[in-house]
Every structure is written in structure tokens, then in C-alpha cells.
Amino acid sequence: MENMKTNETKLTKKDINSLSRRWIMGSQVTWNYERQMGVGYLWAMLPIIRKLYKDPKDQKEMLKTHVQFFNTTPHMGGFILGIDAATEEHEGMKAKEAVKGLKTGLMGPFAGVGDTLFGVLFPTIFGSIAAYMGQEGNMVGAVIWLLVNIAILIFRTYSAGIGYQEGSKIITSAKDKLDALTAAATLLGITVVGALIATVGKANVTATFVSGEISVKGQEILDQIMPCLIPAAVVGGVYWLLGRKKMTSSKAILLVMILSIVLHAVGILG
């Protein structure tokens, strides 16, 4: 990170440091159930958007792009922001679809790594040591825990710069292959979303069809046709709803909640 500015770059080390600080301060403060870290992501990218895009229409388009759903381990989000900044710096509006795919494709794997390290491993090891020493009246335990958190904060401070540097290398070396990169990023994003539908979405048919002495469970029939058919249908229905006028994400979520309660009450879904 000694010198992030070349003859062609528009972003400086100061810009990337600002990006990192804004992500650290805003990634969790603006968290909500509709977009989760989306607003924080936009707030971190806002100065860069204003610097890279002079046309108000382009700015508005990128604002819409970056305020969409985003969720990952906060400690790892800086890497994605850095790669995003490098991609947009070199390709501008042409990178919009690639950026969407990169964000969707990377937030899951980065969350898996980040949750393991910063949510489980470090707190378990260092937290246990610090807590045990604290119970024994040893102040070194508190110092250890403080130093660990300072080290994590330093790591977060530099993560955006590392992501920016590596992203710049990738974009510069593969500039003539941007279309392929965009297609790959988009495919990665779609694959991740498809996997999330099957693993996270839960909607089982509890209705049982009875004819004489024969009873057939509705979910077993659907599984023979296509596993996770109901979650896929729900996602497809919500996607269609979001394309209707005056329909918002909040309204769609509320509608799904009401429909789930009603269908559960009548014994169709469980």
C-alpha cells in the first residue's frame, strides 16, 4: 500500500483508507432485516462513487446497485470493497454486472472464513485464556484480550487496501477478458443464490393425501418431482412480485410472513 496511485488511477491511498474507515464504522450500524449490510456498503462506497462517476445518472445507477442486499462477516467485508473499488475504477459503468456478481459470489465464502476465524476460533482461544486469567485475578488476561482486538482492528484497517491492490492486478492483467470475467462473476452469483435457496429456504408441505387405506405425504410427492420445489417457487414468486409497481422488499417480506402463517394454520405448510 505504499503507492496506490498511478498515471491511470483515479483513487488515492486516502480514498482507500476512507473506504476502510467508513466500512468499519458503518457496516453494522445500519444493519436491517431487509438489506442487512447493504446500506453500510453503500455508505462506505459513497465517496468513491462520487469521485468515479461525474454523470448524475451514473451515480444514481451505482447507488441503486450498492444499496442492495449484502451480508458477510464485517471483518472480511473490506476485501470485497477493495476489489469492488478497483474494478469500478478501471472499468466504470461497464463493471456494474461484474460487481454485482462479485459481491454476491464472495460474501458467502468470505463469511464462512470470517465467522470461523473471528466468530469462533479467536474468541474461543484467546477469550478462554483471558477469562481464566481474569478469574484468577491476573490483569494480563484483560491485556491479552485488548491486544487481540487491537490486532483485529488493524487487520480490518488494511483489508480494503489489500483487496484494492489485488483487484487492480486482476483487472489490469485481464482487461481484455472483462466480458468473460463479468459472465463468470454473474454465474458465480447465481450459483450461490441457487444454493442458498435450497439450504436456507425451509418450506415443507405437511398435508397428507388419503384414499382409503392409502396415505401419501405431499412433501414426498414433491421431492420426487424436484427437491426444494416449494422454496424455489416461493423465491420465484417473490422475484416476480418485486417487478410489480409499488411493490417493495418490505411488502414482499410481510406478504410471505402472512401467507406462511395462514398456510401453517390450515395444515398445508409446516
Side-chain angles (χ1 to χ4, degrees), residues 19-246:
L19 174 69
S20 179
R21 287 194 303 270
R22 291 170 75 95
W23 173 249
I24 291 173
M25 292 187 294
S27 59
Q28 294 289 80
V29 174
T30 57
W31 196 97
N32 62 84
Y33 282 103
E34 182 179 352
R35 302 179 190 275
Q36 299 203 5
M37 294 179 173
V39 179
Y41 193 103
L42 171 60
W43 189 70
M45 286 292 296
L46 191 56
I48 289 179
I49 292 173
R50 288 171 174 165
K51 187 169 186 177
L52 295 180
Y53 306 99
K54 302 305 180 183
D55 188 337
K57 292 183 179 179
D58 291 344
Q59 289 185 2
K60 184 177 180 180
E61 191 65 28
M62 295 311 296
L63 290 175
K64 291 180 180 179
T65 298
H66 287 314
V67 81
Q68 297 303 314
F69 177 91
F70 181 80
N71 189 44
T72 191
T73 305
H75 309 75
M76 303 298 291
F79 290 108
I80 302 176
L81 282 158
I83 297 171
D84 182 350
T87 305
E88 292 188 46
E89 178 186 32
H90 285 274
E91 300 300 332
M93 287 297 295
K94 293 189 295 182
K96 186 178 75 168
E97 295 303 320
V99 166
K100 287 182 179 179
L102 285 170
K103 287 173 61 179
T104 305
L106 292 178
M107 66 180 182
F110 273 50
V113 174
D115 287 348
T116 301
L117 292 177
F118 301 103
V120 178
L121 189 61
F122 292 159
T124 300
I125 296 176
F126 295 104
S128 298
I129 294 173
Y132 176 77
M133 296 181 73
Q135 286 182 330
E136 297 296 317
N138 192 337
M139 288 295 294
V140 176
V143 174
I144 290 175
W145 186 241
L146 179 62
L147 291 176
V148 168
N149 280 276
I150 291 175
I152 292 174
L153 181 60
I154 293 173
F155 166 81
R156 294 187 65 183
T157 301
Y158 286 97
S159 62
I162 296 172
Y164 174 78
Q165 286 183 327
E166 297 306 313
S168 296
K169 292 177 184 178
I170 294 172
I171 298 302
T172 302
S173 61
K175 188 177 181 67
D176 58 337
K177 299 179 181 179
L178 182 62
D179 291 341
L181 179 63
T182 301
T186 303
L187 181 60
L188 176 62
I190 293 173
T191 302
V192 171
V193 171
L196 287 173
I197 294 172
T199 56
V200 178
K202 302 296 182 183
N204 297 318
V205 174
T206 57
T208 301
F209 303 95
V210 180
S211 178
E213 297 180 355
I214 300 175
S215 63
V216 180
K217 295 182 179 179
Q219 187 61 49
E220 293 180 354
I221 298 175
L222 294 176
D223 286 341
Q224 293 177 9
I225 299 173
M226 186 181 82
C228 301
L229 177 60
I230 298 300
V234 171
V235 172
V238 172
Y239 182 79
W240 177 82
L241 281 174
L242 292 175
R244 305 301 95 190
K245 290 184 178 180
K246 298 182 179 181

